[in-house]
Amino acid sequence: FVFSDTNGDPLVVGFGDDGDDGGDGGGTDTQHFTDLPEPTGESSLIIIQDIVGLNEGDEVGLFDANGVVVTDTTGTNPQYGELLVASGVWQNEQLDLVAVMSIDLSDFNGPVLNGAVEGNEIAIQVWHQGEDFVSTPSASFSMGNGTYGQVLTVIDMLDAYRYGCTDSDAINYDPIANMDDGTCEYTVE
């Protein structure tokens, strides 16, 4: 297969696993976003082409806010909630993430396997390793509609800056912000 972006340019997709991480498809082990469900055999590929506001070694976690959180072996009472379904370490190059998808076999008296539910929104969190801080970035999708279950989802830009007033002399200083947004206010005497 050759995957291409909306302009027809080929996308490089890496499926190798160069790390000692149990074969999850990533090269470097994650330290923060680690509680992934067991693979179900169904997956959704999400490619992040570029990220601003992260340093090398920071992590990206993909969540389903209403995924199947625990496999229901009876197929009669699945529990839904926030679930980490993919994660990776930012290495200043394209990040290919494979989200674990839920499989519902309850129509055949089978289980409902935990994972992301097709059609649910892709929720993204990033972990800033140096600050031990989790934030929610904004994403620009160039392929796919931002939901799980697409053949291919491409995020051309993930903005992980935390915008706010970064001047400690301002009355609205935001100690969490790492990118000034021009909103600083000062008292005039």
Side-chain angles (χ1 to χ4, degrees):
F1 287 100
V2 175
F3 293 110
S4 60
D5 64 16
T6 55
N7 297 323
D9 297 322
L11 294 170
V12 177
V13 179
F15 293 104
D17 189 1
D18 301 329
D20 183 22
D21 56 4
D24 65 2
T28 304
D29 282 340
T30 55
Q31 298 175 37
H32 187 79
F33 295 123
T34 58
D35 193 20
L36 293 165
E38 289 294 320
T40 61
E42 292 286 328
S43 60
S44 186
L45 176 61
I46 295 96
I47 296 173
I48 303 174
Q49 293 181 313
D50 199 11
I51 300 177
V52 295
L54 285 187
N55 295 316
E56 187 169 328
D58 291 347
E59 297 180 14
V60 177
L62 303 182
F63 291 81
D64 184 336
N66 201 29
V68 178
V69 294
V70 177
T71 292
D72 175 18
T73 57
T74 67
T76 59
N77 190 26
Q79 297 176 17
Y80 297 92
E82 185 178 71
L83 179 68
L84 174 68
V85 295
S87 65
V89 177
W90 178 241
Q91 299 293 326
N92 293 322
E93 61 186 22
Q94 178 175 294
L95 186 58
D96 305 328
L97 300 173
V98 179
V100 175
M101 297 297 294
S102 173
I103 300 176
D104 184 350
L105 301 172
S106 61
D107 287 344
F108 308 102
N109 296 321
V112 178
L113 304 177
N114 64 330
V117 176
E118 186 172 338
N120 285 359
E121 184 178 336
I122 298 170
I124 306 169
Q125 293 183 7
V126 294
W127 178 60
H128 305 267
Q129 179 181 20
E131 303 164 81
D132 193 21
F133 185 82
V134 175
S135 66
T136 302
S138 62
S140 169
F141 293 89
S142 61
M143 190 173 235
N145 62 6
T147 62
Y148 288 106
Q150 305 294 307
V151 172
L152 176 65
T153 298
V154 177
I155 298 171
D156 59 348
M157 180 59 68
L158 191 68
D159 186 348
Y161 282 119
R162 299 180 313 271
Y163 293 92
C165 175
T166 59
D167 184 349
S168 59
D169 292 331
I171 60 173
N172 63 332
Y173 169 64
D174 184 352
I176 296 172
N178 63 0
M179 178 61 73
D180 196 274
D181 63 359
T183 62
C184 294
E185 298 173 5
Y186 303 90
T187 56
V188 180
E189 295 181 27

Tab-separated table of all heavy atoms in Angstrom, residues 164-167 169-175 181-186:
chain	number	residue	atom	x	y	z
A	164	GLY	N	-0.914	31.600	27.149
A	164	GLY	CA	-1.335	32.468	28.247
A	164	GLY	C	-0.301	33.551	28.456
A	164	GLY	O	0.653	33.690	27.681
A	165	CYS	N	-0.452	34.316	29.516
A	165	CYS	CA	0.482	35.390	29.832
A	165	CYS	C	1.691	34.795	30.549
A	165	CYS	O	1.552	34.176	31.602
A	165	CYS	CB	-0.196	36.437	30.711
A	165	CYS	SG	0.942	37.728	31.261
A	166	THR	N	2.877	35.000	29.997
A	166	THR	CA	4.093	34.415	30.577
A	166	THR	C	4.944	35.437	31.340
A	166	THR	O	6.019	35.095	31.820
A	166	THR	CB	4.964	33.765	29.473
A	166	THR	OG1	5.325	34.762	28.512
A	166	THR	CG2	4.219	32.620	28.795
A	167	ASP	N	4.447	36.675	31.470
A	167	ASP	CA	5.192	37.711	32.193
A	167	ASP	C	4.796	37.665	33.667
A	167	ASP	O	3.658	37.983	34.025
A	167	ASP	CB	4.894	39.079	31.598
A	167	ASP	CG	5.707	40.201	32.233
A	167	ASP	OD1	6.364	39.966	33.286
A	167	ASP	OD2	5.684	41.314	31.691
A	169	ASP	N	5.351	39.620	35.969
A	169	ASP	CA	4.982	40.925	36.517
A	169	ASP	C	3.536	41.313	36.187
A	169	ASP	O	3.025	42.303	36.725
A	169	ASP	CB	5.928	42.007	35.994
A	169	ASP	CG	7.348	41.849	36.527
A	169	ASP	OD1	7.504	41.322	37.653
A	169	ASP	OD2	8.291	42.242	35.808
A	170	ALA	N	2.890	40.578	35.314
A	170	ALA	CA	1.517	40.890	34.915
A	170	ALA	C	0.532	40.391	35.975
A	170	ALA	O	0.809	39.424	36.690
A	170	ALA	CB	1.203	40.249	33.565
A	171	ILE	N	-0.645	41.046	36.041
A	171	ILE	CA	-1.647	40.634	37.040
A	171	ILE	C	-2.349	39.335	36.637
A	171	ILE	O	-2.925	38.659	37.482
A	171	ILE	CB	-2.686	41.751	37.295
A	171	ILE	CG1	-3.431	42.122	36.010
A	171	ILE	CG2	-2.027	42.966	37.923
A	171	ILE	CD1	-4.582	43.096	36.209
A	172	ASN	N	-2.275	38.978	35.383
A	172	ASN	CA	-2.900	37.735	34.920
A	172	ASN	C	-1.845	36.699	34.484
A	172	ASN	O	-2.086	35.873	33.611
A	172	ASN	CB	-3.879	38.006	33.783
A	172	ASN	CG	-3.221	38.583	32.549
A	172	ASN	OD1	-2.197	39.247	32.622
A	172	ASN	ND2	-3.832	38.326	31.395
A	173	TYR	N	-0.692	36.750	35.142
A	173	TYR	CA	0.391	35.797	34.852
A	173	TYR	C	-0.121	34.362	34.984
A	173	TYR	O	-0.811	34.020	35.939
A	173	TYR	CB	1.550	36.044	35.824
A	173	TYR	CG	2.610	34.966	35.813
A	173	TYR	CD1	3.376	34.723	34.680
A	173	TYR	CD2	2.838	34.192	36.947
A	173	TYR	CE1	4.349	33.736	34.675
A	173	TYR	CE2	3.815	33.203	36.951
A	173	TYR	CZ	4.560	32.979	35.819
A	173	TYR	OH	5.519	32.007	35.816
A	174	ASP	N	0.212	33.532	34.018
A	174	ASP	CA	-0.186	32.125	34.028
A	174	ASP	C	1.068	31.265	34.142
A	174	ASP	O	1.803	31.102	33.173
A	174	ASP	CB	-0.935	31.788	32.740
A	174	ASP	CG	-1.463	30.366	32.699
A	174	ASP	OD1	-1.134	29.577	33.605
A	174	ASP	OD2	-2.205	30.059	31.752
A	175	PRO	N	1.336	30.714	35.328
A	175	PRO	CA	2.568	29.939	35.514
A	175	PRO	C	2.611	28.647	34.702
A	175	PRO	O	3.678	28.067	34.516
A	175	PRO	CB	2.581	29.648	37.015
A	175	PRO	CG	1.158	29.745	37.439
A	175	PRO	CD	0.524	30.760	36.536
A	181	ASP	N	0.600	34.662	24.731
A	181	ASP	CA	-0.443	34.907	23.735
A	181	ASP	C	-0.822	36.378	23.605
A	181	ASP	O	-1.814	36.719	22.968
A	181	ASP	CB	-1.686	34.069	24.055
A	181	ASP	CG	-2.324	34.436	25.379
A	181	ASP	OD1	-1.817	35.328	26.082
A	181	ASP	OD2	-3.348	33.802	25.716
A	182	GLY	N	-0.039	37.256	24.249
A	182	GLY	CA	-0.276	38.687	24.115
A	182	GLY	C	-1.401	39.225	24.972
A	182	GLY	O	-1.885	40.335	24.739
A	183	THR	N	-1.838	38.477	25.968
A	183	THR	CA	-2.975	38.916	26.792
A	183	THR	C	-2.559	39.461	28.153
A	183	THR	O	-3.422	39.713	28.993
A	183	THR	CB	-3.945	37.737	27.024
A	183	THR	OG1	-3.238	36.700	27.745
A	183	THR	CG2	-4.509	37.203	25.727
A	184	CYS	N	-1.286	39.668	28.388
A	184	CYS	CA	-0.826	40.156	29.701
A	184	CYS	C	-1.459	41.507	30.032
A	184	CYS	O	-1.594	42.370	29.164
A	184	CYS	CB	0.698	40.282	29.724
A	184	CYS	SG	1.555	38.700	29.593
A	185	GLU	N	-1.872	41.638	31.295
A	185	GLU	CA	-2.467	42.875	31.776
A	185	GLU	C	-1.650	43.381	32.958
A	185	GLU	O	-1.156	42.591	33.754
A	185	GLU	CB	-3.916	42.635	32.209
A	185	GLU	CG	-4.809	42.169	31.075
A	185	GLU	CD	-6.202	41.781	31.558
A	185	GLU	OE1	-6.509	41.969	32.755
A	185	GLU	OE2	-6.981	41.286	30.729
A	186	TYR	N	-1.561	44.707	33.056
A	186	TYR	CA	-0.743	45.309	34.106
A	186	TYR	C	-1.555	46.396	34.811
A	186	TYR	O	-2.445	47.006	34.196
A	186	TYR	CB	0.524	45.927	33.499
A	186	TYR	CG	1.340	44.923	32.717
A	186	TYR	CD1	1.117	44.728	31.353
A	186	TYR	CD2	2.320	44.174	33.328
A	186	TYR	CE1	1.856	43.804	30.632
A	186	TYR	CE2	3.077	43.255	32.616
A	186	TYR	CZ	2.829	43.064	31.261
A	186	TYR	OH	3.564	42.155	30.569
